[in-house]
Amino acid sequence: MDIERINDNTVKFYISYLDVEERGFSRDEIWFNRDKSEELFWEMMDEVNEEADFVMEGPLWIQVQAMDKGLEVTVTKAQLTKDGQKLDLPDDIDDRRKMFSSDDAVAPEFDEFEPVFDEPDLKKLEYTFVFSEVDELLPIARRLMYVPIETALYHFENKYYLYVNFDEILHSDEDVKNNISIFAEYLQTSPITIHRLEEYGKEIFKEDALSNVLHYFG
């Protein structure tokens, strides 16, 4: 399981379906069996606490995004108002994320909610793709030559990774969907985050990766 500490209140982690099965759970169980999904969640949170020192206190906001080969989970400690009653939604978590609350501020439990795992986030603006050779980007670069998309290229563990970031002002949901379909024609999506690539990968093009690939390899 890959764990990324975002800030004091937020942690993100990725678990593959293979890892889920190795822990003794099936895909059907985590989607449709509340007890099993909660058991898996708290097992993962114990691991997060050990590795990322993320102490669970009070209500939690949780988003789970289903990916091709696993699940990406974002957990944020909800902020309480001064009277200790009302929950303020964290700035970096939108109103579609689900809350698991508790009367116990030390050991929160799940409130009424089924299934535990929410549907995929339809407004995702950041993507990472993995591939073997740089020239695999050439057909994409040619097709998206005049489309303003932020891209960066890294080499990590004998693979190349393309980070893609859409501007929510410049790109509508339909734009993102159409452009991502072009990337998906040639490349495989990856759960690796840009933060991990920046820290452990070798930077090839920090920005304008597609236009640079077209210039140097086309």
Side-chain angles (χ1 to χ4, degrees):
M1 186 170 74
D2 294 328
I3 302 171
E4 177 186 350
R5 183 67 179 267
I6 305 300
N7 53 44
D8 290 342
N9 294 319
T10 304
V11 67
K12 179 185 291 186
F13 51 96
Y14 172 83
I15 184 169
S16 69
Y17 290 126
L18 178 60
D19 193 354
V20 168
E21 292 173 356
E22 289 178 346
R23 293 168 185 260
F25 302 90
S26 69
R27 293 195 193 189
D28 287 342
E29 284 178 334
I30 64 174
W31 284 110
F32 303 112
N33 186 314
R34 177 186 173 119
D35 292 337
K36 288 293 186 179
S37 58
E38 289 185 15
E39 182 181 346
L40 173 62
F41 175 79
W42 290 117
E43 181 179 311
M44 293 188 295
M45 288 305 298
D46 286 341
E47 187 172 331
V48 169
N49 185 37
E50 292 180 3
E51 296 190 21
D53 192 26
F54 187 79
V55 180
M56 294 173 287
E57 296 178 346
L60 302 175
W61 295 91
I62 302 168
Q63 180 193 27
V64 179
Q65 179 173 317
M67 307 182 75
D68 290 342
K69 297 183 179 180
L71 303 169
E72 183 180 84
V73 184
T74 302
V75 180
T76 297
K77 300 175 187 177
Q79 302 300 301
L80 296 174
T81 57
K82 292 181 180 180
D83 60 10
Q85 298 297 320
K86 181 181 178 182
L87 289 173
D88 288 332
L89 184 64
D91 293 338
D92 58 339
I93 302 293
D94 65 44
D95 60 4
R96 289 180 302 161
R97 298 186 181 185
K98 305 301 180 182
M99 182 184 73
F100 297 79
S101 64
S102 171
D103 294 329
D104 185 347
V106 177
E109 297 178 355
F110 285 101
D111 200 354
E112 290 302 320
F113 178 77
E114 291 188 14
V116 171
F117 296 110
D118 197 4
E119 296 200 3
D121 184 356
L122 300 179
K123 291 188 177 181
K124 182 178 178 183
L125 298 174
E126 297 183 21
Y127 297 82
T128 305
F129 297 91
V130 60
F131 48 102
S132 300
E133 302 293 340
V134 174
D135 58 11
E136 293 179 56
L137 292 178
L138 286 175
I140 301 173
R142 294 189 182 103
R143 293 178 64 177
L144 300 177
M145 185 182 304
Y146 302 109
V147 180
I149 303 175
E150 178 186 339
T151 55
L153 181 62
Y154 294 85
H155 189 259
F156 176 61
E157 294 184 345
N158 299 318
K159 293 286 186 179
Y160 290 96
Y161 292 86
L162 181 72
Y163 167 72
V164 178
N165 185 22
F166 293 93
D167 188 303
E168 62 181 351
I169 297 177
L170 296 177
H171 301 278
S172 67
D173 292 348
E174 190 66 22
D175 290 336
V176 174
K177 179 180 178 180
N178 292 337
N179 289 322
I180 284 299
S181 67
I182 294 176
F183 285 100
E185 286 183 35
Y186 303 92
L187 310 175
Q188 296 292 321
T189 57
S190 170
I192 292 182
T193 65
I194 182 61
H195 307 291
R196 187 175 181 187
L197 292 174
E198 288 177 336
E199 184 171 359
Y200 300 107
K202 178 182 179 181
E203 178 185 299
I204 299 176
F205 296 121
K206 186 175 183 179
E207 56 185 22
D208 300 326
L210 289 181
S211 58
N212 278 309
V213 166
L214 191 59
H215 175 77
Y216 291 103
F217 297 91

